[in-house]
Each structure stands twice: as structure tokens, then as C-alpha cells.
Amino acid sequence: MTVDELRKQEAPRPAGLGPVGWLRWGWRTLTSMKTAIILLFLFALASVPGSLVPQRGVEPEKVAQLYQQNPTLAEWYDRFQLFDVFSSVWFAAIYLLLFTSLIGCIVPRTATYLRELRRRPPAAPRNLSRLPHFSSFAGDLTAEAAAARLRARRFRVDTGDGWVAAEKGYLRETGNLLFHIALLGLLIAVGFGSLYGYRGNVLVVEGDGFANTVAAYDRYLPGNQVSAESLEPFSFQLDRFETTYQVEGDKRGQELDYSAFLKVSDAPGAPERPYELKVNEPLEINGTQTYLIGHGYAPEFRITDGKGQVAFEGPVPCLIEDKPSMTSGCVVKAPDARPEQLGFLLRFLPTSVALEGGGHASAFPGALQPEVQVVGAFSGDLGVRSGRPQSVYELAPPELMKKLKPLVMGTSVPRPLAVGQSLDLPDGAGKLEFTGVKEWMTLQIAYDPGRLPALVAAAVATVSIALSLMIRRRRVWVRVRDGVVEVGGLTRTEGSAAGFTEEFADIVKALSAGDKDAR
């Protein structure tokens, strides 16, 4: 056996971490301050899609519009849960990791901080002149007098044989700990609100009402600990909806303000009270808040079937296709029509004007001259009785649309229908009448018991971060010997030496002055 082979056999092999070692390494990495900062950044970054992509719980009509305009993109958004960002799996994973990381940071730092509070300032070094801040003067100052003057400046003081040690700025670490505790409290408040709160969306047309029950919601998202009996039993009716637009100038047609005028009953049997609901001014009843988040038009129609019976009558909420002009797409279904079901694809023009090249368009978002364009009229099975959920903005599922019989197409209708006008369908299939115009509003109704704790936690975090940024940790030592007083200073906060220079000069001045000046 050669010498090299003997060396290879005798060389120590690096020991593996093993399962326990890897777990310990993972825990230390997760609970490090660097990881907590990265997770906090990811938490903020993960919230960005919730502002850029319409959310089902806030703007369901915009989600439906995106499915109509770009179904492929909408499917990819849905696949990555971008329509429900704050209830998605990946957002919850970041939330839980951040929660765990903060606990792992806070517990050991709190223990270290408590030990620091009980520890006395370290004794004065032998050679104070080596410190970054140093000064000396001749005088008869005693160690006891120096300690009293430093206490008057709110230093923690310890004394020895001819020396004084003083320290100040513990509130900096207090601010750091409170900031992390406040962040943890904020996460707990959000989680508590998700468990015991609920939110939902509903669309209400002028003249209709709403009662706060599960069945009345278009979309209802309860927490895990919420039951149907948890809902606050209030109700209201939408009397009218008013919108104000800019009528002249470069910004003509721009929306200035809109309000919903309600009659609210706080509880069953309670008297009604008027209430004007506006954007960012929610209706609040015992912690349940009702927000006004959108509005649009709901033209009224009457459909008479081929047997002369009224198969449908009432307002139809339309989906906004062009926000500046409020041009909206409408789907009207008459599943009770005989001999066959009837369906219509319509376009609502609030202020209809004729174009030079033919056709019509809306010139203003207000309903000054409302008209309805007939895009298409169909007969056949609309699939509404199949038991399959169906969007109100969809005439029929794609597989059934191919089987519908086209009765009227847009090119065969010379001009849009004004209020009071009607369109007779061919072969005696029925008639469509445009009878009036109403407006609809969309609401988000939310109950969040974690809202106030979250506000308190956010306020504490703001104050705490200010403490940690404004307060400096610093130490001062005084040594008295042979009629010479030496004073040394040291900052324990990186980058605060310049700010401590002036304070150190004031401390030296107070120590060298007489008793009257020291006070």
C-alpha cells in the first residue's frame, strides 16, 4: 500500500448533517431576520396582483367581462388564482411562513432583551482615550456627583472605585421588538378576521331591496367559523341612484360623483331611515359595513312570446363594455316563452347618436337619449333548466349556442329601439319591447372583527419603527483620579456617531460645570 493510499484512509471524512441537522439549519434559516425581511417583501409583492387584477369578491362583473373579452387570459388568471389572490394557496403559504418566521425572531430576541435590561452597564475601560469620543478636564468632581448628573440626563448608571458607567437608548430595541410584535399582531388580526368574518357581493337595481341573508348574495365568502345565523339582520331598499358627470370642457363625460339613496331598516321590525350611500362612506350597522363599489344601467324590457303571453318583464343589468360612454352589453332570457325559449343579445346606448358612416354609438355616459341595439335574437333551448350554473351575462353555454335558431341579427334592424318602441320577431315568434331605464349598483358587504385590532397593530408598528429609527444606543464612562476627570463615549448604533458628537459635548459640559449649571 502506497503512502498516498494510507493518507487517503487516514484523512477525516466530513460528517453529514443528518435529518436533525437539516431541520435545525432550516429552522435557523426560516427564523433569521434576513428571511423575515424577504418574506415581508414577498407578502407585499404578492398583494400587488390583488390591485391589478379584478377580484371575484370585489368586482365580479369585471371578472365576467374579462372572460368575455379574453377567455384564454382569464383561464390562466384563474389557474393561478389571480382572481382570488387573498384566499389563494400561494398567498396563504407566504402568510404562514411569515407568521412562523416572526415568532422565531421575536421569542429569542425578547429573551436576550430581558437579559440586557437586567444587566448593569459594563465597567469603565482603563484607557478611555482610545474610545471614539474622549475628553478630559481638571476638577474636583467625584464619581458620586458624576453619577447623579448622568442620572439627571436619564442614563442608567453603575459606579465603582473612582469610575462611573452609564448607558442610554434601550428604547431602540424596545421599538424593534414592538414593531415585530405589531406585525405579528397584524397577521393574527387578519387571520382572526378571516375566520370569524365574512364578505359578499350583491347587485341591486333601483326599486329593489336587499336583506342580509345568505340567499340574497350573488357571491358569499364566509369564514370557517361563520354560520347563517351570524349575519346581522338588516335590510334596505334602493329608492334611486344618482350620478353626476362633467358636461363640458375637455373632461366632458367624466364621472364626478354617484350616490345611492336607501331606506334602511337596522333590524326586523325596526323603522326605516333614509341613508345616502357614497363611495368610501360605507353604511355600518353593528360592525357590518356596506360599500358602494360600482354602478351601471339596467334597461327594462317586456317579452311577449308566440302565444301572446308575457314571458318576461323587468329590468336587466347590463355589463359595461366601454366605461367612458357607458355602452353596455345586455343578455335577456325568456325561458318561459312558448312555443320555444327566447334569448336576446343587446347593446345599450345611454346617449345614442347616429354616426356619419352608419350605425349608432353613445356620445355621453348619462342616459340623455337611451336606445337599445339588437345584436341578435334567438330561439331554442337556453340551458337554464339543465341544473348547470350559468352566468347572467351569457345567453347559453357554447355547445348550446350552436343549436339556437337565429331569428334576428343586428344588420336586419335599421336603427336602435328607443324607450316605448318594440321589435316584432319573424314567424310570429314574439315581440321585444324597450319600456324604460333603471340603474343598478354593486355592493360589497363585509364583517371583519379583526379590523380594529389590525388598526391598533398598524399604529403600534408605526410608532415602534419611529422609536427604532430615532433613538440611539450609547454608553458614557467617567473616570476620576488625581484631580483629572476623563470622559469617554461610544455609540452602539451604526451610523449614529455624528449625532452623538453634539450630545457628548453637552455631557462633558454638564460634568465640568458647577452644581447649578449641571441641573
Side-chain angles (χ1 to χ4, degrees), residues 23-39 96-109 180:
L23 287 174
R24 186 180 292 114
W25 175 84
W27 175 253
R28 288 177 179 174
T29 303
L30 178 61
T31 57
S32 67
M33 182 58 64
K34 182 185 294 184
T35 302
I37 293 174
I38 292 173
L39 287 172
L96 291 175
L97 286 174
L98 179 59
F99 190 86
T100 306
S101 181
L102 284 174
I103 292 178
C105 288
I106 290 172
V107 172
R109 287 189 66 173
H180 288 85

Side-chain angles (χ1 to χ4, degrees), residues 124-156:
R126 290 185 179 181
N127 191 352
L128 296 180
S129 62
R130 293 181 178 180
L131 294 176
H133 301 271
F134 173 76
S135 181
S136 63
F137 58 88
D140 55 356
L141 182 70
T142 62
E144 291 75 12
R149 295 178 186 182
L150 288 172
R151 286 193 185 97
R153 300 179 72 91
R154 298 182 181 179
F155 277 86
R156 292 180 60 195

Side-chain angles (χ1 to χ4, degrees), residues 408-455:
V408 174
M409 301 307 291
T411 54
S412 62
V413 182
R415 60 167 290 109
L417 302 178
V419 176
Q421 293 182 342
S422 61
L423 173 67
D424 292 322
L425 301 177
D427 302 326
K431 181 171 65 173
L432 172 69
E433 298 177 76
F434 179 25
T435 59
V437 178
K438 290 185 175 181
E439 291 198 52
W440 56 258
M441 65 175 180
T442 50
L443 305 172
Q444 183 181 66
I445 300 171
Y447 172 68
D448 185 3
R451 184 165 53 94
L452 183 58
L455 177 62

Side-chain angles (χ1 to χ4, degrees), residues 384-423:
V384 294
R385 293 190 174 91
S386 64
R388 174 183 172 184
Q390 193 176 124
S391 172
V392 295
Y393 304 111
E394 181 183 57
L395 185 60
E399 62 273 12
L400 293 180
M401 278 295 297
K402 299 177 182 179
K403 301 178 182 180
L404 294 179
K405 177 184 178 181
L407 300 175
V408 174
M409 301 307 291
T411 54
S412 62
V413 182
R415 60 167 290 109
L417 302 178
V419 176
Q421 293 182 342
S422 61
L423 173 67

